[in-house]
Amino acid sequence: MERYTGKSVFGGVAIGKLFLYEKDEHQVKRVKTEDNDAEKQRYYKAVETAMEELQKLHDKALKEVGEANAAIFEIHQMMLEDDDYKESVEHIIDSQMVNAEYAIAQTGDNFAQMFSAMDDEYMRGRAADVKDITERLLSVLSGDSQSGINSDEPVIMVADDLAPSETVQMDKSKILSFVTVKGSVNSHTAILARTMGIPALIGSDIKLDKSINGRQGIVDGTNGCIYIDPDEETLERMKKEMRKEQEKKELLQTLKGKEDVTLDGKKIKLYANIGNIRDLANVINNDAAGIGLFRSEFIYLERDTFPTEEEQFAIYRTVAESMAGKQVIIRTLDIGADKQCDYFGLDKEDNPAMGLRAIRICLTRPEIFKTQLRALYRASAFGNISIMYPMITGVKEVDRIKEIEIEVKAELDSQGIEYGNPQTGIMIETPAAVIVSRELAKKVDFFSIGTNDLTQYTLAIDRQNTKLDDFYDPHHPAILAMIKMVADSAHAEGIWVGICGELGGDLNLTKEFLKMGIDELSVSAGKILSVRKVIRETNICEL
Ligand code: PEP
Ligand code: MG
């Protein structure tokens, strides 16, 4: 048995096979060959395997997400069999006497470029598909699994680090737990683990070696350790622990359908944070009263090109309709810092957390911002959507946003396009916004405090820097004083105030927040029922 440690970002126990995630970077070398026929055979065999993989994915998707969504795998199969693609690969192998990998990579690049240059938007979109099938073929040839999990059963995923853009693409139903060597407790991988309600460790000392693949592992998220090939005693002890966790979960289920109200009658908006439309099932299952933070930037991170207005509209509308009249607060894109999107074409920055991110991108690139706002306004005609702006530092930004909102509405009016009347709010996540919160409260419908960034900017601690985790203290008196100050400013101006940073789900502080007068807590879906329990046991007057 081997035992390694890590910092826990979500409790609980996971038992399953280990899977080492390695980045999908196929560095293709051009290698001369004498035997072009053998290289072509390797290519044909790879196509066959890829076709089988796609068929499996198609069948699975058909069951889980329906025909329309499964169709993409059929398209990929058609592309794999496309004569032009095939002829190009064969021609490169024959004429240059090179390896199959090089011919495939070259063909993929050429075709992707060709599609990208087309006028038709649908055809331009096919560039990503060509890249996808090319990567799949290269993965088959190198014997690796492709961007994720090559296993029929759910696994404990072990990785050096995981970027948000990588985690969004993973098949979450196959992940029992995350264990990473890098990453901080406030990284988005950690947030994802909390959203999924699965045990996770970061900053682990586990050895990243392919030999762990397929071996049995146990992640003890409560005590911050991982076992490989556990002995009988450990396995039994952990299974017992898992059963206990399960019982606790079942007990919480009795709170479903109950109101979020304190003993002395204050109603709290207990909402959920999501990053993705796929998180909705968890939100509904855990009985959240609304969505307090939809991190819309994940829509951008999942793609290779800007999501169109129509694509965004469809997503926002689905979320609003699925929540059936409950409030859905959608935050405009918070790209930048650790959430980098290549196609935004942003310059590399020395200090990205303090750089061009979030609302700063939107105000300097209004065409991107307006596309999102149009989609949001249009979707707000189909449900209870509110719009929230991140990284605000002062009144000037809010005034400029208001001007852009007016422009967007005027454009929609002139085109005769229907839209609703969404509430608009801002995130309070910079110390400057805290200080001027009274002025800001005059301009918006609500505040939501982003304690992750507020802690980073107040304590001058990079939330991504794992070495600083011991200094990253969201319980610091300065942070709590700021939260109180923001609550008072909001109430003085008659608006509501919530917390959507990770601190909102910290059960040690729930009572403190209620005492401060916080009206809304937006937490990961897995935490809803635990927070509900504390709310219902609290008497604010007695605090
Ligand atoms: C925050 O900063 O607290 C927040 C909720 O936003 P994010 O974690 O996405 O930066
Ligand atoms: Mg933030």
Side-chain angles (χ1 to χ4, degrees):
M1 177 171 89
E2 291 166 45
R3 181 180 182 276
Y4 301 97
T5 57
K7 284 177 207 136
S8 174
V9 290
F10 200 85
V13 175
I15 304 179
K17 285 203 178 131
L18 298 166
F19 175 82
L20 179 69
Y21 174 84
E22 290 175 296
K23 294 201 188 294
D24 232 3
E25 282 161 9
H26 289 108
Q27 302 286 6
V28 174
K29 287 205 185 91
R30 186 172 188 272
V31 182
K32 278 280 188 189
T33 177
E34 304 272 290
D35 193 350
N36 51 337
D37 282 337
E39 289 305 310
K40 280 191 286 186
Q41 287 308 325
R42 287 182 66 229
Y43 162 58
Y44 302 143
K45 188 91 198 60
V47 171
E48 236 175 70
T49 310
M51 291 293 281
E52 283 163 18
E53 281 180 9
L54 286 166
Q55 191 57 44
K56 275 195 203 147
L57 285 170
H58 172 267
D59 296 346
K60 181 171 178 295
L62 199 60
K63 273 191 229 131
E64 289 176 4
V65 288
E67 204 170 332
N69 292 309
I72 186 69
F73 299 114
E74 278 179 339
I75 295 176
H76 282 192
Q77 282 181 318
M78 272 156 41
M79 290 175 116
L80 268 178
E81 288 187 317
D82 177 69
D83 280 343
D84 291 336
Y85 191 94
K86 183 167 170 249
E87 278 163 23
S88 164
V89 175
E90 290 170 339
H91 177 72
I92 294 174
I93 294 176
D94 287 337
S95 62
Q96 302 184 32
M97 295 299 283
V98 287
N99 53 333
E101 284 88 342
Y102 179 79
I104 291 168
Q106 198 59 39
T107 302
D109 281 352
N110 294 346
F111 276 56
Q113 264 180 30
M114 190 174 74
F115 279 120
S116 305
M118 289 185 178
D119 288 337
D120 184 82
E121 192 176 330
Y122 175 83
M123 294 312 279
R124 275 204 306 276
R126 300 283 69 78
D129 295 318
V130 173
K131 283 191 198 150
D132 214 324
I133 60 157
T134 303
E135 270 300 315
R136 185 172 294 283
L137 288 172
L138 293 174
S139 299
V140 172
L141 283 171
S142 68
D144 293 345
S145 65
Q146 207 213 9
S147 75
I149 309 153
N150 182 17
S151 163
D152 290 337
E153 54 186 290
V155 293
I156 295 170
M157 173 162 296
V158 180
D160 183 40
D161 198 6
L162 292 167
S165 56
E166 288 170 316
T167 53
V168 289
Q169 293 182 38
M170 287 174 184
D171 176 357
K172 313 288 187 303
S173 66
K174 289 238 181 110
I175 302 171
L176 295 171
S177 169
F178 288 115
V179 178
T180 63
V181 171
K182 299 203 183 103
S184 74
V185 271
N186 295 290
S187 62
H188 282 86
T189 305
I191 291 172
L192 176 73
R194 289 186 203 113
T195 305
M196 291 169 68
I198 57 173
L201 307 179
I202 50 104
S204 173
D205 54 359
I206 190 168
K207 307 251 171 332
L208 297 173
D209 186 329
K210 268 202 168 81
S211 69
I212 65 166
N213 275 329
R215 288 163 72 186
Q216 189 178 39
I218 302 179
V219 176
D220 178 354
T222 314
N223 296 303
C225 62
I226 173 166
Y227 301 94
I228 302 183
D229 294 334
D231 56 32
E232 267 311 302
E233 186 267 320
T234 309
L235 187 62
E236 277 316 307
R237 187 165 49 84
M238 285 291 121
K239 277 189 180 163
K240 218 160 141 195
E241 201 53 42
M242 212 166 143
R243 278 195 294 274
K244 259 205 257 164
E245 293 279 338
Q246 194 54 34
E247 277 162 24
K248 244 198 255 168
K249 264 192 203 156
E250 277 160 23
L251 209 66
L252 285 174
Q253 296 301 307
T254 58
L255 288 171
K256 274 194 188 172
K258 300 258 164 75
E259 253 194 311
D260 300 305
V261 59
T262 62
L263 290 172
D264 48 340
K266 168 147 182 172
K267 285 200 178 134
I268 304 295
K269 298 170 197 279
L270 182 53
Y271 289 177
N273 292 349
I274 64 169
N276 204 296
I277 205 163
R278 294 182 290 276
D279 297 336
L280 270 182
N282 232 354
V283 171
I284 294 166
N285 209 10
N286 283 286
D287 196 29
I291 289 173
L293 169 65
F294 177 178
R295 290 181 162 95
S296 74
E297 59 274 12
F298 280 83
I299 299 171
Y300 293 74
L301 289 169
E302 279 180 340
R303 286 168 170 70
D304 293 329
T305 50
F306 285 103
T308 63
E309 179 183 323
E310 286 311 314
E311 282 173 314
Q312 293 192 59
F313 167 67
I315 293 169
Y316 304 146
R317 177 181 170 167
T318 305
V319 176
E321 287 181 341
S322 308
M323 291 303 289
K326 292 178 179 153
Q327 188 166 22
V328 174
I329 301 175
I330 304 180
R331 172 174 81 182
T332 55
L333 61 97
D334 187 11
I335 292 291
D338 65 321
K339 290 176 278 192
Q340 293 291 337
C341 230
D342 289 347
Y343 61 83
F344 272 65
L346 300 171
D347 291 337
K348 199 152 175 38
E349 296 174 307
D350 287 340
N351 207 342
M354 295 196 183
L356 190 62
R357 66 172 285 198
I359 203 67
R360 299 170 185 178
I361 297 180
C362 291
L363 295 180
T364 44
R365 308 263 298 264
E367 71 289 356
I368 299 174
F369 192 30
K370 278 187 169 176
T371 303
Q372 180 167 37
L373 284 180
R374 281 176 64 96
L376 285 167
Y377 270 100
R378 286 173 56 198
S380 68
F382 295 86
N384 186 2
I385 285 182
S386 302
I387 305 176
M388 177 157 78
Y389 302 104
M391 282 296 291
I392 297 297
T393 61
V395 168
K396 254 206 304 211
E397 287 149 357
V398 177
D399 287 342
R400 180 66 192 122
I401 291 168
K402 298 259 158 220
E403 285 167 16
I404 297 176
E405 283 174 353
I406 291 168
E407 286 167 26
V408 166
K409 285 193 272 188
E411 282 166 23
L412 291 171
D413 280 334
S414 71
Q415 294 169 312
I417 296 173
E418 191 192 1
Y419 58 89
N421 187 20
Q423 280 196 4
T424 54
I426 54 171
M427 291 197 63
I428 303 289
E429 49 186 348
T430 63
V434 174
I435 303 293
V436 297
S437 53
R438 186 76 193 258
E439 288 313 303
L440 290 167
K442 296 186 174 118
K443 308 227 163 215
V444 294
D445 298 314
F446 63 90
F447 282 162
S448 187
I449 305 174
T451 51
N452 308 337
D453 278 317
L454 186 59
T455 307
Q456 149 163 278
Y457 296 125
T458 305
L459 303 185
I461 283 179
D462 177 357
R463 65 191 260 201
Q464 292 298 117
N465 186 342
T466 178
K467 292 200 188 92
L468 297 175
D469 273 355
D470 290 341
F471 295 93
Y472 185 95
D473 176 17
H475 289 212
H476 192 292
I479 306 296
L480 299 179
M482 283 180 157
I483 296 174
K484 174 79 170 80
M485 186 175 166
V486 174
D488 290 345
S489 297
H491 294 150
E493 297 299 333
I495 65 168
W496 65 260
V497 55
I499 300 177
C500 65
E502 293 299 291
L503 206 60
D506 185 333
L507 298 175
N508 296 318
L509 286 175
T510 312
K511 282 179 193 282
E512 182 76 21
F513 292 149
L514 296 177
K515 190 172 145 195
M516 289 179 187
I518 293 295
D519 306 290
E520 179 236 29
L521 290 168
S522 190
V523 304
S524 44
K527 286 232 168 123
I528 291 279
L529 296 174
S530 317
V531 178
R532 175 168 298 163
K533 184 166 180 289
V534 182
I535 291 173
R536 292 175 60 83
E537 290 167 357
T538 302
N539 189 334
I540 301 176
C541 299
E542 277 177 7
L543 291 173

